[in-house]
């Protein structure tokens, strides 16, 4: 869930809460951890999407086509796509529809068990490669603060029919009314052509190989920002060269350089702590329509409000904990939000502040609950019960440097996969004798 107000609180609190321990956090971890940072290769049989995106008369209407090839590792009797913009979290006024779904020129039967799920009746044998094509139409929500919005600019995230495969089956968790989550989707390749009026600029997942033509390799979603941006580009080593692009929406009064500096710092620090940054690009879209602190992360791209600089460490951390190592965020939000929050305590030097944060009784020792449990309680309870409580639970395992080392083993060992809590526990078990009991005590389930 990219959606988050968390960093503002910590970002402001940590100015008063600097600790010497926090300063040494990343550097000692780098010196003492013997787990290799080198990632495995992405799965060779990953899906491949060819996507066309055309803007309509306004920034609220888009249409296009989608072709996807998919070869499941186990046989399945159907193919499931998420139509995520139809989630109630997008206020009910966004709408994604699809035309006929075809394979090899033949039309396939489809059904819509609910607004966000498209089921295609096509059995697929183990490792059989099936190619499906369809057209799609998208109308964006105009409500402020949400991930999809048409106005002077637009953010398109999980905006097209997205395969719901988790590696062994279909993840069809119901969307939530209040809290936004990422749909579970497999690591894939994307070839995307975007057609827009010339006055508008695109910032997107992956690499623009020629004007309007984007490629992204080994990512689980493709997201873009459309608008008028001033752009700063820089190159970092994480440790391979990464071309970092920061785009600030025109008309914003915020200076762009702090966003560039904090993005650079976070990427370099996380690559040292958790494993190599796997992609050749990273992009941050800094946008001025957010009405409060807000941020979202998608593969190789982050979105933050222009008054939300403090969210940069958290959103950047999602490149390791959600983008690289995926999870079912509806069911196990602590695997992405909790671990991203643990990561941000490094650049923020906020570990002491988080450890001193009280957890309300109704979410105490419940860090393993699904997001649906928190949907009725609201974001602040989710923030405390999952984001902060995970940090507190990990800190009970041992020193921060060893926790980081175990997390590196988790990210490298589960890169490009959709992980479950047991995968995280397996990594912790190699470092801490009583990891399971300590995490269960705070509500984790394995
Ligand atoms: Zn987050």
């Amino acid at each position: 869930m990219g959606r988050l107000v968390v960093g503002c609180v910590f970002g402001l609190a940590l100015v008063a809460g600097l600790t010497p321990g926090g300063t040494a956090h990343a550097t000692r971890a780098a010196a003492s951890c013997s787990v290799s940072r080198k990632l495995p290769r992405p799965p060779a049989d990953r899906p491949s999407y060819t996507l066309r995106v055309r803007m309509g008369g306004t920034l609220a209407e888009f249409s296009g086509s989608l072709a996807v090839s998919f070869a499941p590792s186990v046989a399945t009797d159907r193919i499931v796509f998420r139509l995520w913009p139809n989630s109630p979290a997008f206020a009910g006024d966004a709408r994604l529809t699809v035309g006929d779904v075809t394979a090899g020129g033949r039309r396939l039967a489809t059904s819509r068990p609910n607004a966000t799920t498209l089921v295609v009746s096509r059995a697929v044998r183990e490792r059989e490669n099936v190619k499906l094509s369809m057209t799609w139409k998208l109308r964006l929500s105009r409500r402020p603060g949400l991930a999809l919005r048409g106005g002077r600019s637009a953010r398109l995230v999980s905006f097209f029919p997205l395969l719901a495969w988790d590696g062994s089956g279909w993840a069809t968790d119901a969307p939530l009314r209040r809290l936004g989550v990422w749909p579970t989707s497999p690591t894939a390749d994307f070839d995307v052509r975007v057609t827009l009026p010339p006055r508008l600029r695109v910032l997107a997942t992956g690499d623009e190989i020629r004007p309007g033509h984007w490629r992204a390799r080994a990512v689980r979603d493709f997201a873009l920002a459309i608008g008028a941006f001033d752009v700063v580009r820089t190159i970092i080593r994480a440790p391979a060269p990464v071309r970092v692009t920061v785009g600030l929406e025109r008309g914003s009064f915020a200076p762009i350089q702090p966003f560039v500096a904090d993005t650079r710092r976070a990427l370099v620090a996380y690559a040292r702590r958790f494993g190599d940054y796997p992609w050749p690009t990273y992009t941050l879209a800094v946008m001025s329509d957010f009405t409060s602190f807000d941020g979202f992360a998608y593969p190789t791209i982050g979105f933050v409000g222009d008054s939300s600089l403090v969210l940069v460490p958290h959103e950047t951390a999602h490149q390791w904990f959600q983008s690289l190592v995926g999870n079912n965020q509806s069911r196990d939000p602590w695997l992405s939000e909790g671990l991203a929050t643990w990561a941000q305590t490094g650049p923020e030097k906020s570990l002491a502040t988080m450890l001193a944060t009280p957890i309300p009784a109704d979410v105490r020792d419940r860090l393993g609950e699904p997001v649906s449990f928190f949907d009725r309680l609201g974001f602040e309870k989710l923030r405390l019960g999952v984001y902060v409580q995970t940090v507190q639970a990990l800190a009970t395992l041992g020193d921060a440097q060893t926790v980081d080392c175990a997390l590196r083993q988790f990210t490298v060992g589960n890169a490009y996969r959709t992980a479950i809590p047991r995968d995280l526990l397996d990594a912790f078990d190699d470092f801490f004798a009583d990891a399971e009991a300590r995490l269960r005590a705070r509500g984790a389930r394995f």
Side-chain angles (χ1 to χ4, degrees):
M1 153 180 12
R3 254 186 103 55
L4 116 124
V5 194
V6 60
C8 59
V9 178
F10 299 138
L12 298 174
L14 70 88
V15 175
L18 284 176
T19 62
T23 310
H25 193 251
T27 46
R28 269 191 307 192
S32 61
C33 181
S34 62
V35 176
S36 170
R37 298 186 184 86
K38 199 167 162 14
L39 300 176
R41 300 168 84 85
D45 58 353
R46 61 191 181 271
S48 172
Y49 292 84
T50 304
L51 184 61
R52 300 286 176 267
V53 181
R54 232 168 281 106
M55 189 179 131
T58 71
L59 266 164
E61 288 165 32
F62 294 83
S63 62
S65 61
L66 172 72
V68 59
S69 70
F70 171 62
S73 52
V74 294
T76 176
D77 60 356
R78 62 202 193 282
I79 300 171
V80 180
F81 293 87
R82 298 325 290 268
L83 307 179
W84 211 243
N86 300 332
S87 160
F90 292 118
D93 61 343
R95 189 168 152 79
L96 175 63
T97 54
V98 297
D100 290 345
V101 178
T102 61
R106 279 185 40 230
R107 199 176 132 197
L108 300 173
T110 60
S111 60
R112 289 274 300 276
N114 58 53
T116 57
T117 306
L118 172 71
V119 177
V120 179
S121 299
R122 169 67 156 85
V124 191
R125 296 185 307 276
E126 179 184 324
R127 305 201 184 283
E128 177 190 358
N129 193 304
V130 59
K131 289 194 176 69
L132 301 180
S133 301
M134 66 190 84
T135 56
W136 56 268
K137 275 189 186 165
L138 173 69
R139 192 185 69 214
L140 297 188
S141 166
R142 287 176 172 275
R143 295 276 289 270
L146 295 170
L148 298 157
R149 190 185 184 212
R152 285 198 311 127
S153 58
R155 284 175 289 282
L156 303 188
V157 295
S158 302
F159 65 96
F160 56 91
L162 191 61
L163 284 169
W165 190 247
D166 71 2
S168 57
W170 300 107
T172 54
D173 309 73
L176 303 169
R177 194 143 291 282
R178 297 175 65 189
L179 297 168
V181 296
W182 292 297
T184 304
S185 56
T187 295
D189 292 341
F190 287 85
D191 183 295
V192 184
R193 288 173 204 261
V194 184
T195 308
L196 296 174
R199 66 195 157 83
L200 293 167
R201 180 169 203 155
V202 175
L203 302 171
T205 298
D207 222 354
E208 189 172 21
I209 56 172
R210 59 185 70 92
H213 188 179
W214 297 76
R215 285 238 175 97
R217 186 171 170 269
V219 293
R220 50 186 84 244
D221 201 342
F222 183 92
L224 60 155
I226 300 171
F229 296 94
D230 293 319
V231 165
V232 169
R233 294 183 202 280
T234 182
I235 294 179
I236 60 152
R237 298 195 70 89
V242 180
R243 281 167 285 130
V244 175
T245 301
V246 177
L248 175 69
E249 198 168 350
R250 283 226 174 107
S252 171
F253 292 106
I256 194 168
Q257 278 304 335
F259 289 93
V260 178
D262 285 10
T263 299
R264 290 180 62 110
R265 192 175 303 126
L267 286 168
V268 169
Y270 298 150
R272 284 199 190 119
R273 288 167 67 193
F274 305 123
D276 296 348
Y277 181 82
W279 302 284
T281 64
Y282 180 76
T283 299
L284 181 68
V286 185
M287 304 183 71
S288 48
D289 64 297
F290 289 109
T291 51
S292 61
F293 284 100
D294 225 333
F296 310 90
Y298 285 82
T300 82
I301 186 167
F303 304 86
V304 294
D306 59 1
S307 60
S308 302
L309 175 65
V310 290
L311 298 183
V312 168
H314 179 92
E315 300 308 338
T316 312
H318 277 306
Q319 295 308 320
W320 280 262
F321 304 113
Q322 177 59 30
S323 185
L324 177 58
V325 180
N327 72 313
N328 180 326
Q329 206 192 24
S330 295
R331 191 186 60 208
D332 308 312
W334 68 290
L335 289 188
S336 42
E337 296 305 344
L339 299 184
T341 307
W342 172 269
Q344 86 193 57
T345 63
E348 283 185 352
K349 303 180 179 61
S350 58
L351 184 57
T353 309
M354 292 213 202
L355 297 184
T357 301
I359 306 297
D362 56 351
V363 297
R364 193 177 304 144
D365 301 335
R366 307 195 78 157
L367 73 79
E369 296 288 345
V371 179
S372 56
F373 170 80
F374 298 94
D375 202 36
R376 65 192 163 82
L377 300 173
F379 180 79
E380 181 61 7
K381 291 288 175 70
L382 175 71
R383 182 183 79 81
L384 294 166
V386 172
Y387 294 54
V388 177
Q389 192 159 223
T390 299
V391 172
Q392 296 182 356
L394 298 194
T396 68
L397 298 177
D399 64 274
Q401 296 71 33
T402 312
V403 172
D404 274 4
C405 194
L407 286 176
R408 189 192 298 174
Q409 182 161 307
F410 170 68
T411 54
V412 172
N414 292 282
Y416 307 109
R417 295 184 57 236
T418 300
I420 59 174
R422 177 58 61 174
D423 297 320
L424 181 63
L425 182 61
D426 285 348
F428 283 141
D429 274 344
D430 288 349
F431 292 82
F432 307 107
D434 51 359
E436 180 163 356
R438 287 179 186 271
L439 295 172
R440 279 190 191 277
R442 300 307 296 266
R445 295 173 192 160
F446 301 102

